[in-house]
Amino acid sequence: MTRIVEVEAFRLGLPLVHTFQTSSHRKSQLEHILVRVRDGEGRHGWGEIASPSDPYYGPETVDTCWLMLCRYLAPALLGTEWEHPGGASRAWAKVRGQHFAKAGLDVACWDLWARAHDRPLAHALGGTRERIAAGVSLGIEPTIDDLLAQVARHAGDGYRRVKLKIAPGWDVEPVRAVRAAFPDLAVQVDANGGYPEEPEALAVFRDLDHLGLLMIEQPFPPGALAAHARLAEGLQTPVCLDESVADLDQLDSAIALRAGTVLNIKVSRMGGLTPAREAHQRAVDAGWRVWCGGMHEFGVGRAANVALAALPGFDLPSDVSGSDKYYARDVVDPPIRAVAGQVAVPTTPGLGHEVDEPFIRATATAHHVATP
Ligand code: OSB
Ligand code: MG
């Protein structure tokens, strides 16, 4: 049995090497929360709460995650004994929502447990891949030339799939330009729910449907499952859901309604590795394809994504690029690296990357210690 006797939380900002813009926000530095758990035998594990600062992707923010972690989630975990990390999440099952905050604690428990059993996290989860296919997610750029330069840079680094953020006013034209300039590159788009289900938007998706895209991700707002189903029925291009599926019940509804055929599985959005692994199984059983999405994680969260993406069902390229696409200095050593568009799955215990604890302690802008 494992009992966590201490939860430490660190708020930490890292500058991005390249400003990132989506349909809703623009960022040049990101603040995440790193979580360290320790058990009675002195073993420890790390996790990351990769919430955006503002409530535009989902309802959570760094501030709400900090509050929920300190006031509810950490105290609940401290009072629970568990045999397997899947049992740790029962500690906070009563708390509704708060998936990003829960995910940080869940990953820390998985890391501790995998290390205690001397197993790489990917193996502990049931992963079978030695390396995973990595793609890059590119934000909205000031001009099409800027976008083409970004695509050229990452294609030059060996990535063979790019995801382009789209928004009303930045869609068919830039995507067509990338398609024309890079005919051999796999391209997909992500709207982050930025379109209403209206004739102008439907015309955009009809045009995109002719560009040979791998998929169209989250065209409509999260709750609009029926709208996604109507769109998917009329398109050749697969529809992928991200924001619409934050738990297994929403996944069941999406499957029943045929609101898509592809699922972007994020550890953060689902509330941890335990629910993410279950979502993988349910989606694959329903005949959907899955891949692993990201939230611009620092190295701790990124390593968890790599481990998840080693599961057998993840057969589409993931948004799990190397640390260097985002950060000049990461919080893990070695940083996550992509070679020829692939990231090797670590074979050392736990997350498989040493966490740079002195750097985290020295750089944190807030620190909280929870004990029983
Ligand atoms: O919708 O997938 C998304 C980043 C922040 C918020 C939402 C999304 C993203 C990404 C980045 O696409 C994926 C990555 O971590 O590289
Ligand atoms: Mg997305």
Side-chain angles (χ1 to χ4, degrees):
M1 281 305 222
T2 302
R3 185 187 279 276
I4 299 299
V5 298
E6 183 187 75
V7 178
E8 278 187 277
F10 304 87
R11 273 178 89 133
L12 195 81
L14 288 184
L16 284 165
V17 295
H18 187 78
T19 297
F20 193 88
Q21 182 168 343
T22 69
S23 59
S24 63
H25 60 282
R26 183 179 165 80
K27 284 279 171 263
S28 53
Q29 95 129 28
L30 295 183
E31 187 186 33
H32 289 174
I33 299 168
L34 291 160
V35 180
R36 185 179 192 268
V37 298
R38 183 165 63 77
D39 71 6
E41 283 149 73
R43 298 181 294 217
H44 65 271
W46 284 91
E48 176 176 337
I49 299 176
S51 173
S53 302
D54 306 307
Y56 306 140
Y57 169 79
E60 293 173 86
T61 71
V62 181
D63 289 324
T64 69
C65 287
W66 186 263
L67 177 72
M68 291 297 157
L69 178 72
C70 298
R71 186 172 299 175
Y72 297 99
L73 306 177
L77 180 63
L78 291 167
T80 305
E81 276 205 327
W82 45 275
E83 212 159 340
H84 180 269
S89 47
R90 277 201 296 277
W92 53 78
K94 272 203 310 200
V95 178
R96 301 233 193 247
Q98 323 304 335
H99 286 190
F100 278 72
K102 290 174 178 176
L105 264 189
D106 166 281
V107 169
C109 291
W110 272 98
D111 180 36
L112 180 146
W113 188 82
R115 285 191 215 218
H117 291 80
D118 214 22
R119 295 173 74 186
L121 181 57
H123 288 187
L125 289 165
T128 51
R129 295 172 191 279
E130 287 175 18
R131 51 189 64 77
I132 61 163
V136 292
S137 170
L138 300 180
I140 291 165
E141 291 288 335
T143 68
I144 289 179
D145 281 343
D146 290 315
L147 177 66
L148 292 173
Q150 284 303 310
V151 177
R153 185 176 136 219
H154 291 101
D157 285 343
Y159 291 104
R160 280 166 284 186
R161 174 288 237 171
V162 297
K163 170 169 121 179
L164 307 176
K165 292 287 181 182
I166 58 168
W170 177 267
D171 40 44
V172 179
E173 226 193 315
V175 177
R176 197 176 270 146
V178 169
R179 264 267 145 268
F182 302 89
D184 299 327
L185 198 62
V187 179
Q188 62 193 64
V189 297
D190 183 2
N192 286 108
Y195 291 82
E197 191 193 21
E198 285 171 359
E200 300 77 38
L202 297 176
V204 166
F205 296 121
R206 264 197 307 278
D207 287 348
L208 291 173
D209 202 25
H210 296 297
L211 297 178
L213 302 175
L214 217 48
M215 70 189 77
I216 297 175
E217 180 177 343
Q218 199 66 45
F220 303 129
L225 287 181
H228 284 96
R230 286 188 285 270
L231 179 69
E233 191 169 18
L235 292 184
Q236 297 291 312
T237 312
V239 169
C240 168
L241 297 182
D242 175 355
E243 287 91 327
S244 285
V245 177
D247 60 42
L248 298 169
D249 290 331
Q250 291 170 354
L251 177 56
D252 284 344
S253 301
I255 291 168
L257 282 167
R258 301 178 198 279
T261 51
V262 182
L263 182 63
N264 168 346
I265 301 183
K266 290 184 182 172
V267 177
S268 295
R269 191 194 69 231
M270 300 304 299
L273 287 163
T274 298
R277 190 167 69 145
E278 266 179 70
H280 154 268
Q281 197 55 51
R282 279 204 208 184
V284 169
D285 288 347
W288 285 38
R289 298 187 72 186
V290 304
W291 54 282
C292 180
M295 292 300 300
H296 296 158
E297 283 85 354
F298 301 172
V300 170
R302 190 168 297 277
N305 294 346
V306 171
L308 181 72
L311 290 175
F314 286 85
D315 67 345
L316 288 163
S318 293
D319 275 349
V320 186
S321 7
S323 301
D324 58 336
K325 175 186 181 279
Y326 302 93
Y327 307 104
R329 188 197 205 293
D330 205 341
V331 299
V332 296
D333 188 30
I336 283 92
R337 282 198 196 91
V339 178
Q342 295 193 311
V343 175
V345 178
T347 52
T348 47
L351 291 167
H353 293 260
E354 240 7 89
V355 176
D356 191 344
E357 194 172 323
F359 174 62
I360 292 169
R361 290 191 187 275
T363 317
T365 53
H367 180 213
H368 177 81
V369 185
T371 50

